[in-house]
């Protein structure tokens, strides 16, 4: 990253060039042009990025004014400062040079120390314009310019490059809970970390907010090594803050592509990461590009589809293991698309979460369930408790939290329950617990969803008093095949019972699984063995059948 700055010396007198060269060549990479025409050709070569041009005024072919005019026209003077070197000190020529945009003027004879200082100041001043004031790294524009010249430089034709796009997770929440200063501090630490990392980056830039891009030589790139640094607990002004980051990788296949295109690909790779518990990075390939098209159409259509009621709430029965009675249900969203048919939530929920739309959907589900329960109650019909899934995003939205509490209060009953995953819980900083407490005060049960997926830990049960724990489907699936797995399920259930938590097993499909779960004393079972998620109409049918056979239990479990 510490290449020498480049200076172009333009003068038709070889002697003058020699003098300037001897003054500057220790500190800078100096290049020479003999006249204006050669200078223009050199300046417009996008592989070179001169940080300063020293320009004589009187030259054959194209003179110094001609070079300034060219640079003016091509908006190059914003990026490359020009200092005129001249012995002509007439007012007229000086005024003309300044009016054409020269930055400064050296008159002969040259004083070495003065020239060095002024060159340094000018370069530093222009360099500041290319920097991000927070991290001190390059801004987007400068990154594009320098990355372009490195990747496309013919001298580097045998090198291979990688672009790595980083995103710090939950920085918005950190800003909110710990203050902007803490967020800024994390950004700076992250930048320094990248700078000193094994990546040995050729260039780094903070593109915007919490997005960073690095240009790396392929031989320095080791994704696993980088992964190890993506999760850290930082000490920020005496507070411990967990920092998580993810990255997307793009191997430069064709150096002729625009750098912005390469950045977009690395970013798409980052955005394709759905299950963060597997690994914190993804490498771009063409299928990701295809996925992106889907993502874009999901986002485009979402609000309209919500308004058109293409989203429907399905209900999956939950059965009491000891009695086989129907006791409750889980609300699961379905997108019934007029052209694409039924789209499962796994396809669109991660996309909505990533782009901040999920809260609208969760609110819709909550309202819909509230409405269904109220309508049945008003008609004097029996109701069962229904649990609703909340996304981690909902906890960052103050309005959403207030609305959830409002809606739950309004119902005045405790038939709605909330499911949250361990990830959501982990994402809740500080006042998350307060929020859950105020819900529990209303008598509403909180379920811990997907326990055992990803990196679960029992620690979470100590941190919060969940009412019910849902054992993830990935465990249940392995019941028949894996002895250790059976022991783990059994122990989870025992442990929960010992601390007063009930258990639901998710995704039970076979009789063997159901029998084993019953044997272990699992309280409730949810899975295709009993029923798939059902439309409201189907669910009413299902419940009617169970009711006829006296197979519904409405004791508040
Ligand atoms: P989840 O909350 O863990 O829901 C259980 C998932 O397991 C559901 O998938 C359900 O259809 C599926 N399942 C249940 N029993 C079986 C079985 O025996 N075999 C198999 N193979 N699958 C079974 P679904 O409906 O595709 O939902 C996936 C996830 O999407 C849910 O996982 C939940 O995390 C999320 N989700 C669904 N609806 C909503 C919603 O309204 N809001 C939010 N934020 N997330 C939702
Ligand atoms: Mg759930
Ligand atoms: Mg689940």
């Amino acid at each position: 990253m510490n290449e020498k700055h480049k200076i172009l010396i333009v003068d038709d007198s070889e002697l003058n060039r020699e003098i300037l060269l001897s003054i500057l060549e220790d500190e800078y990479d100096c290049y020479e042009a003999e006249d204006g025409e050669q200078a223009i050709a050199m300046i417009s070569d996008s592989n070179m990025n001169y940080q300063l041009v020293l320009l004589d005024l009187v030259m054959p072919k194209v003179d110094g004014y001609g070079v300034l005019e060219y640079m003016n026209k091509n908006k190059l003077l914003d990026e490359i400062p020009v200092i005129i070197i001249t012995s002509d000190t007439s007012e007229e020529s000086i005024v003309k040079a300044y009016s054409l945009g020269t930055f400064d003027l050296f008159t002969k004879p040259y004083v070495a120390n003065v020239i060095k200082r002024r060159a340094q100041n000018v370069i530093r001043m222009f360099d500041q314009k290319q920097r991000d004031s927070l991290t001190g790294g390059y801004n987007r524009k400068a990154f594009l310019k320098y990355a372009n010249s490195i990747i496309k430089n013919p001298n580097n034709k045998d090198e291979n490059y990688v672009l790595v796009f980083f995103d710090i997770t939950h920085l918005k929440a950190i800003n909110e809970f710990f203050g902007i200063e803490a967020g800024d501090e994390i950004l700076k630490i992250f930048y320094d970390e990248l700078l000193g990392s094994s990546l040995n980056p050729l260039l780094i830039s903070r593109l915007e907010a919490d997005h960073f891009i690095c240009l790396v030589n392929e031989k320095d790139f080791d994704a696993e090594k980088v992964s190890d640094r993506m999760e850290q607990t930082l000490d920020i002004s005496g507070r411990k803050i967990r920092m998580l980051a993810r990255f997307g990788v793009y191997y430069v296949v064709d150096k002729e592509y625009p750098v912005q295109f390469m950045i977009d690909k690395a970013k798409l790779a980052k955005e394709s990461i759905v299950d963060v518990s597997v690994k914190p990075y993804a490498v771009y390939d063409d299928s990701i590009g295809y996925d992106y098209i889907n993502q874009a159409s999901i986002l485009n259509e979402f609000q309209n589809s919500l308004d058109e009621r293409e989203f429907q709430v399905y209900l999956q029965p939950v059965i009491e293991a000891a009695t086989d009675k129907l006791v409750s249900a889980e609300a699961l969203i379905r997108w019934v698309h007029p052209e694409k048919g039924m789209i499962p939530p796994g396809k669109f929920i991660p996309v909505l979460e990533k782009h901040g739309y999920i809260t609208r959907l969760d609110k819709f589900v909550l309202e819909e369930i509230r409405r269904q329960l109220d309508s049945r109650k008003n008609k004097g019909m029996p109701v069962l408790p229904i649990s609703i899934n909340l996304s981690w995003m909902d906890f960052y939205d103050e309005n959403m939290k207030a609305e959830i509490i409002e809606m739950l209060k309004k119902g005045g009953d405790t038939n709605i329950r909330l499911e949250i995953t361990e990830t959501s819980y982990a994402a809740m900083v500080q006042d998350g617990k307060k929020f859950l407490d105020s819900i529990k005060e209303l008598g509403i049960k909180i379920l811990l969803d997907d326990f055992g997926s990803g990196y679960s830990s029992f620690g979470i049960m100590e941190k919060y008093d969940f009412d019910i724990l849902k054992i993830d489907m990935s465990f249940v699936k392995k019941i028949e095949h894996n002895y250790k797995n059976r022991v783990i399920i059994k122990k989870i259930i025992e442990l929960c019972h010992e601390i007063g938590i009930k258990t639901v097993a998710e995704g039970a499909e076979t009789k063997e699984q159901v029998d084993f779960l019953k044997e272990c004393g699992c309280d409730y079972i949810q899975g295709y063995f009993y029923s798939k998620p059902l439309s409201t109409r189907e669910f009413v049918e299902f419940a009617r059948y169970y009711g006829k056979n006296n197979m519904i239990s409405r004791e508040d479990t």
Side-chain angles (χ1 to χ4, degrees):
M1 293 251 316
N2 288 322
E3 275 184 35
K4 277 186 180 175
H5 289 127
K6 296 187 190 119
I7 297 182
L8 177 64
I9 301 167
V10 190
D11 199 320
D12 58 332
S13 146
E14 192 175 348
L15 179 67
N16 279 343
R17 293 202 306 270
E18 285 297 318
I19 297 172
L20 288 168
L21 205 65
S22 67
I23 297 173
L24 296 166
E25 69 186 348
D26 281 351
E27 283 170 56
Y28 303 97
D29 271 343
C30 296
Y31 297 79
E32 297 172 59
E34 289 175 14
D35 56 50
E37 200 175 84
Q38 200 185 356
I40 287 175
M42 289 173 79
I43 292 167
S44 36
D45 177 355
S46 63
N47 289 321
M48 302 300 296
N49 284 297
Y50 300 103
Q51 272 85 18
L52 176 62
V53 175
L54 300 180
L55 181 67
D56 185 19
L57 281 179
V58 186
M59 290 182 294
K61 298 189 192 165
V62 178
D63 63 8
Y65 300 117
V67 175
L68 279 172
E69 269 162 16
Y70 170 84
M71 291 181 73
N72 233 332
K73 214 164 66 203
N74 292 286
K75 303 204 165 39
L76 292 170
L77 286 168
D78 281 345
E79 289 171 33
I80 315 172
V82 174
I83 296 178
I84 296 294
I85 41 180
T86 181
S87 39
D88 176 4
T89 49
S90 72
E91 186 180 333
E92 190 199 344
S93 58
I94 294 177
V95 169
K96 186 170 175 198
Y98 275 119
S99 71
L100 284 171
T102 188
F103 188 79
D104 202 352
L105 202 103
F106 292 161
T107 49
K108 292 165 194 170
Y110 302 131
V111 181
N113 276 334
V114 174
I115 290 187
K116 277 189 190 169
R117 269 294 134 77
R118 276 157 94 176
Q120 209 178 49
N121 286 352
V122 172
I123 289 176
R124 192 185 305 138
M125 210 181 109
F126 269 70
D127 194 52
Q128 287 305 318
K129 293 208 296 193
Q130 309 191 24
R131 302 256 168 202
D132 158 37
S133 59
L134 183 72
T135 60
Y138 284 120
N139 58 28
R140 174 193 288 272
K141 198 169 157 205
F143 181 88
L144 289 174
K145 180 168 110 181
Y146 293 124
N148 189 61
S149 66
I150 294 174
I151 295 171
K152 293 175 187 170
N153 189 332
N155 295 334
N156 298 336
K157 72 175 186 326
D158 296 328
E159 304 291 337
N160 291 314
Y161 297 101
V162 183
L163 277 114
V164 193
F165 181 97
F166 293 88
D167 176 18
I168 301 180
T169 318
H170 306 326
L171 193 76
K172 184 168 171 277
I174 292 173
N175 280 335
E176 236 164 70
F177 293 123
F178 297 101
I180 300 283
E181 295 76 18
D184 282 355
E185 195 55 33
I186 287 181
L187 290 168
K188 280 192 259 182
I189 292 174
F190 192 75
Y191 177 84
D192 292 341
E193 171 90 31
L194 291 178
L195 197 63
S197 71
S198 65
L199 282 173
N200 205 7
L202 300 164
L203 291 171
I204 311 180
S205 160
R206 183 167 74 112
L207 292 171
E208 69 264 313
D210 50 3
H211 294 165
F212 292 81
I213 188 90
C214 286
L215 175 69
V216 179
N217 196 312
E218 197 181 314
K219 62 180 190 296
D220 291 325
F221 181 65
D222 177 345
E224 295 307 321
K225 257 196 202 156
V226 181
S227 300
D228 290 345
R229 309 294 300 159
M230 292 296 108
E231 189 168 348
Q232 293 184 33
T233 303
L234 302 174
D235 193 327
I236 309 276
S237 327
R239 300 163 94 167
K240 297 250 177 294
I241 303 182
R242 207 159 77 102
M243 185 206 72
L244 283 174
R246 308 278 163 238
F247 61 98
V249 180
Y250 178 70
Y251 286 89
V252 176
V253 276
D254 185 340
K255 291 184 176 175
E256 292 313 307
Y257 287 147
V259 175
Q260 183 59 53
F261 172 92
M262 301 174 186
I263 297 176
D264 290 345
K265 300 283 169 181
K267 184 174 181 192
L268 280 182
K270 196 254 107 210
E271 283 174 358
S272 75
I273 303 171
V274 174
D275 188 353
V276 292
S277 59
V278 182
K279 57 180 186 184
Y281 69 93
V283 178
Y284 179 83
D285 67 37
D286 287 339
S287 69
I288 288 177
Y290 173 74
D291 253 15
Y292 178 69
I293 299 170
N294 284 341
Q295 283 199 25
S297 66
I298 287 169
L299 296 173
N300 280 338
E301 293 177 35
F302 170 68
Q303 186 59 52
N304 187 44
S305 297
L306 196 59
D307 298 341
E308 296 292 323
R309 304 193 74 80
E310 286 171 19
F311 285 94
Q312 293 177 15
V313 183
Y314 272 49
L315 296 169
Q316 186 175 31
V318 176
I319 306 293
E320 187 172 51
T323 61
D324 270 343
K325 288 185 177 178
L326 173 64
V327 282
S328 62
E330 174 175 9
L332 293 161
I333 195 72
R334 296 288 176 264
W335 187 350
V336 189
H337 195 280
E339 286 138 35
K340 296 174 190 151
M342 175 93 85
I343 311 176
K347 283 258 180 279
F348 59 85
I349 285 185
V351 181
L352 297 180
E353 278 184 332
K354 222 158 20 192
H355 296 87
Y357 293 122
I358 188 70
T359 297
R360 279 187 241 168
L361 185 68
D362 285 346
K363 207 174 121 190
F364 167 81
V365 175
L366 191 52
E367 276 166 357
E368 184 61 22
I369 294 297
R370 177 79 278 153
R371 196 186 57 72
Q372 286 183 16
L373 288 172
D374 287 349
S375 133
R376 288 183 69 85
K377 257 196 327 201
N378 293 341
K379 290 182 199 147
M381 290 152 95
V383 292
L384 286 172
I386 296 180
S387 64
I388 286 168
N389 292 282
L390 291 185
S391 156
W392 59 267
M393 282 278 304
D394 299 331
F395 298 103
Y396 289 147
D397 186 326
E398 291 306 317
N399 289 336
M400 179 66 178
K401 287 198 280 192
E403 280 179 50
I404 291 175
I405 294 192
E406 219 24 62
M407 242 185 283
L408 293 173
K409 268 189 190 155
K410 211 165 60 189
D413 65 44
T414 55
N415 281 310
I416 291 183
R417 295 167 173 183
L418 301 180
E419 295 193 7
I420 67 168
T421 63
E422 198 172 355
T423 321
S424 323
Y425 188 81
M428 272 189 232
V429 217
Q430 290 191 339
D431 73 338
K433 190 167 176 298
K434 239 173 38 205
F435 170 67
L436 291 186
D437 283 342
S438 49
I439 289 174
K440 281 187 85 158
E441 273 164 29
L442 303 172
I444 304 245
K445 293 202 161 117
I446 314 273
L447 285 71
L448 177 60
D449 203 358
D450 300 345
F451 186 82
S453 67
Y455 299 111
S456 300
S457 92
F458 285 116
I460 188 166
M461 286 189 246
E462 188 251 310
K463 288 197 200 98
Y464 198 76
D465 291 331
F466 290 96
D467 298 287
I468 299 177
L469 174 142
K470 299 189 81 170
I471 301 170
D472 193 62
M473 188 152 39
S474 56
F475 275 124
V476 176
K477 288 263 167 297
K478 285 186 268 179
I479 285 179
E480 291 104 322
H481 318 294
N482 188 325
Y483 168 73
K484 274 195 212 158
N485 191 66
R486 287 197 291 274
V487 176
I488 293 171
I489 294 185
K490 197 158 179 243
K491 294 298 168 192
I492 293 177
I493 295 170
E494 272 175 33
L495 190 142
C496 284
H497 288 170
E498 217 155 290
I499 56 177
I501 298 178
K502 294 202 168 179
T503 51
V504 183
E506 293 189 277
E509 293 185 2
T510 65
K511 183 155 186 321
E512 287 75 16
Q513 290 166 358
V514 169
D515 287 345
F516 176 77
L517 291 163
K518 286 181 173 177
E519 208 179 286
C520 296
C522 185
D523 301 274
Y524 310 107
I525 302 175
Q526 175 183 352
Y528 294 176
F529 180 76
Y530 291 101
S531 169
K532 292 194 169 187
L534 305 168
S535 68
T536 328
R537 190 141 45 82
E538 290 165 335
F539 185 79
V540 170
E541 280 303 310
F542 182 91
R544 190 171 291 147
Y545 175 81
Y546 266 66
K548 258 193 218 147
N549 294 295
N550 199 21
M551 290 292 281
I552 294 183
S553 167
R554 268 187 217 97
E555 288 156 37
D556 198 5
T557 43

